[in-house]
């Protein structure tokens, strides 16, 4: 298939009717003809939208979704991100490369079926279970990327620099033994992963300093310099200011808040994605927006972990770019992320319809356009909009779905994001390749069976 006819399509310059979309063998859009005759082109089952990038995730954590929702006996009612992390370590210390591949494939299929067409994998599970490097130091990266790509999803792989157990010179704990890297070793993983997937146009490899508590700015600068020698446009992601404790520790160690400390010492620009950035003051909010970086927001995980709320409205007013991710994968649905992003503001301000602007008064329309564009930027991909030269990452909704039918324009997105309990996504194309049709993926049965068997092995003693 190299063409598609849609009665309604959200193009880069707005909604259009009777659109004939064509693309080349590389999956890039070569033609957009509103008001066209369909001819023999396949017809979309409903409205066509640009696919969404899931800009932040740790694929292996899909296996623990819903398994950290019981208060631990030693937590005395004080469960937090820091206690959740212990459950994550239990899983991280049990996984084998084949487990990582199976979990990643199943996750990617779930994401595709809900409208994600690309995924950024923030990957810090590097070594064997005893903490020693594999014969190929990129073993876990290659297993994870392989599983993701089996699904057909586009991948931006971000091997993680993880050198410290906290601010200052705190060493990694024993339960973090699979994570340890230096600038030199993480760049070797980047090189090996890029070399293995060098002929695949749907794999991009970047770098992710885990956080300021795990990677001092001097190490970050060294790693970024090395990355520039490999690919000076490669994406760079970092966790920052997710937790109040992180902010307090940074202030105690450096006398500055995390985002200020980072921006003052590192040349953060449009290549960067600052994930979470939950706890910003006003000056940090404006400074981050001015750098052109993307704020990577993961509302369902941030709610699940009790992180807090990102200052979306002042950040957007300052011109800041956003994208969304599923992080720990307690949800794999972009509509749910966007709804929660808006609902957090409504609950705080006790007002409605907040994440809009004068040009697009629809909340759903505003958020989908912003997150699709910001996600593509964070992935380092020529996607995020239906426009000439962009990758043909497309999703088609079911025009007969009860929350889509009898709606037009941005009201379609409002219906999906704020009303649909079941996804209305019918079909998905990644770089022009049809990977989901009638709500089904060709590998979903096989992948789900393998995933269930994987869970049985991992949690047999639980």
């Amino acid at each position: 298939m190299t063409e598609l006819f849609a009665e309604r399509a959200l193009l880069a310059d707005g909604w259009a009717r009777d659109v004939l979309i064509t693309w080349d063998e590389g999956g890039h859009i070569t033609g957009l003809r509103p008001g066209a005759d369909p001819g023999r082109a396949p017809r979309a089952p409903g409205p066509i939208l640009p696919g969404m990038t899931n800009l932040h995730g740790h694929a292996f954590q899909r296996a623990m979704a819903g398994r950290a929702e019981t208060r631990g006996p030693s937590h005395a009612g004080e469960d937090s991100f820091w206690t959740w992390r212990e459950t994550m370590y239990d899983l991280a210390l049990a996984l084998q490369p084949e487990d990582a591949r199976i979990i990643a494939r199943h996750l990617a299929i779930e994401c595709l079926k809900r409208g994600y067409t690309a995924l950024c994998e923030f990957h810090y599970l590097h070594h064997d279970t005893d903490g020693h490097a594999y014969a190929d130091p990129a073993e876990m990266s290659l297993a994870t990327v392989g599983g993701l790509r089996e699904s057909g999803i586009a991948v931006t792989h971000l091997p993680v620099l993880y050198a410290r157990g906290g601010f200052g010179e705190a060493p990694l704990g024993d339960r973090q033994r699979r994570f340890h890297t230096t600038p030199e070793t993480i760049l070797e993983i980047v090189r090996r992963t890029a070399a293995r997937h060098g002929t695949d146009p749907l794999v991009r490899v970047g770098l992710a300093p885990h956080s300021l508590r795990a990677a001092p700015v001097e190490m970050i600068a060294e790693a970024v310099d090395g990355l520039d020698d490999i690919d000076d446009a490669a994406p760079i992601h970092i966790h920052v200011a997710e937790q109040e404790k992180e902010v307090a520790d940074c202030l105690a160690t450096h006398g500055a808040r995390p985002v200020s400390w980072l921006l003052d010492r590192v040349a953060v620009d449009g290549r960067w994605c600052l994930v979470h950035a939950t706890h910003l003051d006003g000056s940090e909010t404006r400074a981050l927006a001015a750098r052109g970086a993307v704020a990577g927001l993961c509302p369902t995980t941030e709610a699940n972990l009790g992180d807090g709320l990102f200052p979306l409205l002042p950040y957007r007013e300052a011109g800041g770019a956003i994208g969304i991710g599923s992080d720990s994968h307690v949800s794999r649905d972009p509509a749910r992320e966007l709804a929660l992003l808006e609902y957090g503001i409504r609950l705080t301000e006790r007002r409605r319809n907040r994440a809009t602007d004068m040009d697009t008064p629809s909340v759903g329309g505003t958020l989908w356009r912003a997150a699709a564009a910001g996600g593509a930027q964070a992935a380092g991909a020529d996607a995020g909009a239906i426009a000439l030269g962009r990758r043909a990452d497309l999703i088609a909704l079911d025009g007969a779905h009860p929350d889509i039918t009898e709606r037009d324009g941005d009201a379609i997105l409002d219906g999906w994001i704020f009303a649909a309990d079941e996804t209305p996504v019918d079909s998905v194309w990644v770089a022009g390749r049809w990977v989901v049709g009638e709500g089904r993926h060709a590998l979903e049965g096989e992948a789900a069976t393998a995933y269930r068997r994987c869970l049985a092995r991992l949690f047999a003693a639980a």
Side-chain angles (χ1 to χ4, degrees), residues 310-339:
F310 177 80
L312 181 66
L313 295 188
Y315 180 73
R316 293 270 294 153
E317 288 167 4
I322 66 164
I324 55 169
S326 59
D327 195 353
S328 67
H329 312 302
V330 289
S331 171
R332 284 77 62 199
D333 188 336
R336 188 176 177 191
E337 302 294 342
L338 295 175

Side-chain angles (χ1 to χ4, degrees), residues 264-286:
D264 286 348
R265 287 159 180 80
V266 178
V268 172
D269 57 18
R271 296 169 65 187
W272 286 71
C273 176
L274 273 62
V275 181
H276 304 306
T278 308
H279 301 286
L280 304 180
D281 65 17
S283 63
E284 288 177 308
T285 300
R286 294 185 293 273

